[in-house]
């Protein structure tokens, strides 16, 4: 979570809309409504924000500047020559000149925000603002006011707030994690998408807002409707142009280009004389499952650049776990500390496909690096906590139950 991100816990029984809005105006980014003694929920909430903060600061945010990118080739922004990435670039070219709503879907860390920024930057509204909004971090009680704004005095003397939709006028509104959007705000968003007008709380007239809407989710759009997360009519409006962003394991041929890009960038940032990867090192990177996708690859390459001892990165420079010949990479019947499991330690024999073996090994490695803390390991891999717990259970991973030491502050 960013150092300047402010989190505030508000007593659920005493919270009022005007109080929440004042907190938001004062710079509080995230508000948790809970009982004063609900420490576990606070810890879970902060851990979630750490994940969303990473999402808001995607590794692609430091990629080549896409501002005014009309005259730049898309392949210099969207890195990769795989069929999947060529398809995405072709789709961006097709939709850039339109105002059609785009829905990006794919796993966390795959680069959805980068693609949204690129669509904006090569579109007719490139000179306008790009306004990203993480729907998962909007406090439900004031989500409508934050999105559509409110007039001065409309909420017990709180000053006028234009809202994110208004801020995106003549630009692009990017709504990330729409699966976390509350149902109560969806009718207003549907009206905005249909009419292009908004009416702030306390305002008796509607205002025209000319903005392009791009949304993103980790889930397939069809499941959002089936699971009751998204109204069907709203899904139709947002899903005019769907773009699937594939996980890194489905475009292995792009790993070399991405790794070299990150290596060159971090060599400059950290003033390291590292130039490229050896063939053996690239083979190890390409054989890895990358459950955290491009974000995890970036993290690993930065670590490699910092500790590499020669201009050419060899397989021995890679973090432990990338050598396929090691028992660790096999990842079967190995506990958190690497001890073989006994016959009594699991209720059934675990039989995994090669790609599952590697994914399991990546999770074990992340747990080792974080001392067994699931939240930290999930953030390291770019996975949600729910996904991390599910995979730990699925792959029968043994881990120590550790509690964090209380802060001395």
């Amino acid at each position: 979570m960013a150092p300047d991100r402010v989190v505030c816990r508000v007593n659920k029984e005493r919270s009022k809309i005007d109080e929440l809005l004042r907190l938001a105006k004062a710079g509080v980014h995230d508000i948790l409504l809970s009982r004063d003694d609900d420490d576990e929920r606070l810890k879970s909430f902060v851990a979630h924000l750490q994940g969303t903060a990473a999402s808001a600061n995607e590794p692609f945010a430091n990629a080549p500047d896409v501002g005014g990118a009309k005259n730049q080739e898309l392949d210099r922004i969207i890195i990769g020559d795989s069929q999947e990435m060529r398809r995405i670039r072709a789709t961006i070219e097709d939709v850039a000149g339109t105002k059609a709503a785009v829905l990006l879907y794919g796993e966390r860390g795959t680069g959805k925000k980068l693609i949204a920024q690129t669509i904006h930057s090569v579109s007719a509204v490139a000179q306008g603002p790009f306004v990203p909004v993480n729907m998962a971090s909007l406090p439900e009680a004031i989500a409508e006011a934050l999105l559509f704004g409110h007039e001065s005095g409309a909420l017990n003397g709180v000053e006028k707030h234009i809202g994110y939709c208004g801020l995106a006028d003549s630009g692009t509104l990017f709504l990330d994690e729409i699966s976390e959007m509350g149902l109560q705000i969806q009718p207003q968003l549907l009206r905005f998408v249909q009419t292009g007008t908004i009416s702030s709380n306390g305002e008796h007239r509607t205002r025209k807002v000319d903005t392009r809407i791009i949304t993103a989710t980790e889930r397939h759009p069809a499941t959002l409707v089936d699971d009751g997360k998204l109204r069907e009519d709203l899904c139709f409006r947002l899903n005019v142009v769907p773009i699937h962003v594939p996980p890194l394991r489905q475009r292995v041929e792009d790993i070399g280009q991405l790794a070299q890009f990150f290596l060159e960038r971090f060599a400059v940032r950290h003033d390291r004389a590292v130039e490229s990867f050896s063939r053996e090192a690239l083979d190890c990177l390409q054989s890895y499952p990358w459950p955290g996708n491009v974000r995890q690859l970036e993290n690993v390459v930065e670590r490699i650049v910092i500790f590499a001892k020669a201009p050419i990165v060899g397989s021995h420079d890679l973090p432990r776990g990338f050598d396929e010949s090691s028992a660790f990479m096999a990842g079967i019947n190995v506990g958190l500390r690497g001890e073989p499991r006994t016959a009594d330690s699991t209720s059934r024999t675990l039989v995994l496909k090669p790609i599952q073996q590697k994914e399991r090994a990546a999770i074990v490695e992340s747990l080792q690096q974080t001392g067994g803390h699931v939240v930290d390991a999930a953030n390291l891999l770019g996975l949600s906590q729910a996904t991390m717990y599910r995979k730990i259970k699925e792959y029968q991973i043994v881990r120590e139950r550790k509690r964090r030491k209380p802060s001395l502050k």
Side-chain angles (χ1 to χ4, degrees), residues 332-396:
I332 298 182
N333 291 329
V334 177
L336 178 57
R337 292 185 173 180
E339 310 96 331
R341 292 185 179 180
T342 65
D344 297 332
S345 64
T346 181
S347 60
R348 60 186 175 88
T349 302
L350 188 62
V351 179
L352 300 177
K353 297 178 181 178
I355 191 69
Q356 292 176 314
Q357 296 176 17
K358 296 171 184 177
E359 183 175 54
R360 183 187 187 280
I363 293 171
V364 172
E365 168 74 1
S366 68
L367 287 168
Q368 289 178 322
Q369 292 179 15
T370 58
H373 295 297
V374 175
V375 171
D376 293 343
N379 290 335
L380 185 63
L381 295 178
L383 300 176
S384 67
Q385 292 180 54
T387 300
M388 191 68 166
Y389 277 111
R390 176 173 56 80
K391 289 186 178 292
I392 287 173
K393 182 178 180 181
E394 177 185 351
Y395 292 148
Q396 302 179 23

Side-chain angles (χ1 to χ4, degrees), residues 51-359:
T52 59
S55 177
N57 297 283
E58 295 257 8
F60 316 101
N62 294 320
D65 183 11
V66 295
K70 284 185 178 181
N71 298 321
Q72 296 184 19
E73 294 184 5
L74 288 174
D75 58 4
R76 297 187 62 188
I77 305 171
I78 310 292
I79 298 175
D81 292 328
S82 63
Q83 182 178 348
E84 292 84 356
M85 300 314 291
R86 290 199 300 269
R87 171 184 55 80
I88 289 176
R89 285 196 290 266
T91 303
I92 292 175
E93 290 178 353
D94 290 339
V95 304
T98 74
K99 292 185 178 180
V102 177
L103 193 155
L104 307 168
Y105 65 100
E107 295 178 10
R108 184 177 297 186
T110 50
K112 298 185 290 295
K113 184 179 179 182
L114 170 69
I115 294 174
Q117 290 174 319
T118 304
I119 293 172
H120 167 76
S121 297
V122 298
S123 70
V125 297
Q127 300 306 313
F130 176 82
V131 180
V133 182
N134 190 308
M135 300 303 292
S137 65
L138 285 187
E140 186 174 333
I142 57 172
E144 180 179 352
L146 291 176
L147 277 178
F148 305 110
H150 62 85
E151 294 300 296
S152 297
L155 295 172
N156 295 334
V158 180
E159 294 181 2
K160 180 177 180 178
H161 176 59
I162 191 172
Y164 294 125
C165 293
L167 289 173
D169 192 15
S170 301
T172 298
L173 179 67
F174 175 51
L175 303 179
D176 199 5
E177 296 197 54
I178 58 169
S179 61
E180 305 304 315
M181 175 171 49
L183 291 173
Q184 77 286 347
I185 201 173
Q186 294 188 25
Q188 295 95 312
L189 183 59
L190 175 62
R191 183 182 66 181
F192 171 59
V193 175
Q194 289 176 326
T195 66
T197 61
I198 59 175
S199 178
S200 299
N201 193 345
E203 189 177 28
H204 301 294
R205 62 184 180 85
T206 59
R207 292 182 291 116
K208 191 73 174 178
V209 174
D210 183 18
T211 184
R212 181 190 206 134
I213 298 179
I214 302 176
T215 54
T217 177
E218 295 179 28
R219 303 177 56 180
H220 192 285
T223 66
L224 298 181
V225 176
D226 293 342
D227 295 344
K229 295 288 187 180
L230 196 65
R231 289 173 52 129
E232 186 176 42
D233 48 2
L234 179 57
C235 185
F236 288 150
R237 291 288 182 174
L238 298 178
N239 194 27
V240 176
V241 180
I243 297 179
H244 176 240
V245 187
L248 192 54
R249 63 182 175 274
Q250 291 182 6
R251 53 185 188 106
V252 175
E253 58 268 47
D254 294 335
I255 291 176
Q257 285 180 271
L258 287 164
Q260 184 64 31
F261 169 77
F262 289 135
L263 180 143
E264 292 174 1
R265 192 179 72 191
F266 289 126
V268 172
R269 177 180 298 181
H270 299 299
D271 192 23
R272 291 290 195 267
V274 184
E275 298 174 0
S276 63
F277 291 91
S278 69
R279 182 67 261 174
E280 293 77 11
L282 281 179
D283 287 343
C284 290
L285 294 178
Q286 290 175 336
S287 66
Y288 199 69
W290 300 107
N293 293 296
V294 183
R295 187 182 304 146
Q296 184 191 6
L297 173 63
E298 183 199 35
N299 176 282
V300 168
V301 172
E302 182 173 19
R303 200 183 336 160
I304 290 170
V305 169
I306 291 172
F307 293 104
K309 304 302 182 185
I312 306 301
V313 175
S315 58
H316 58 279
D317 293 310
L318 304 184
R320 190 169 65 87
F322 284 86
D323 182 359
E324 282 192 305
S325 64
S326 69
F328 172 79
M329 201 59 191
I332 298 182
N333 291 329
V334 177
L336 178 57
R337 292 185 173 180
E339 310 96 331
R341 292 185 179 180
T342 65
D344 297 332
S345 64
T346 181
S347 60
R348 60 186 175 88
T349 302
L350 188 62
V351 179
L352 300 177
K353 297 178 181 178
I355 191 69
Q356 292 176 314
Q357 296 176 17
K358 296 171 184 177
E359 183 175 54

Side-chain angles (χ1 to χ4, degrees), residues 16-72:
K16 295 181 180 179
I17 294 296
D18 59 323
E19 293 173 351
L20 297 177
L21 282 167
R22 286 194 184 97
L23 289 171
K25 295 287 286 184
V28 176
H29 294 73
D30 304 282
I31 300 171
L32 171 65
L33 298 179
S34 72
R35 303 185 307 275
D36 288 337
D37 60 350
D38 199 352
D39 292 333
E40 288 304 316
R41 188 160 181 246
L42 176 62
K43 292 177 183 177
S44 177
F45 181 71
V46 171
H48 168 72
L49 294 180
Q50 289 174 327
T52 59
S55 177
N57 297 283
E58 295 257 8
F60 316 101
N62 294 320
D65 183 11
V66 295
K70 284 185 178 181
N71 298 321
Q72 296 184 19

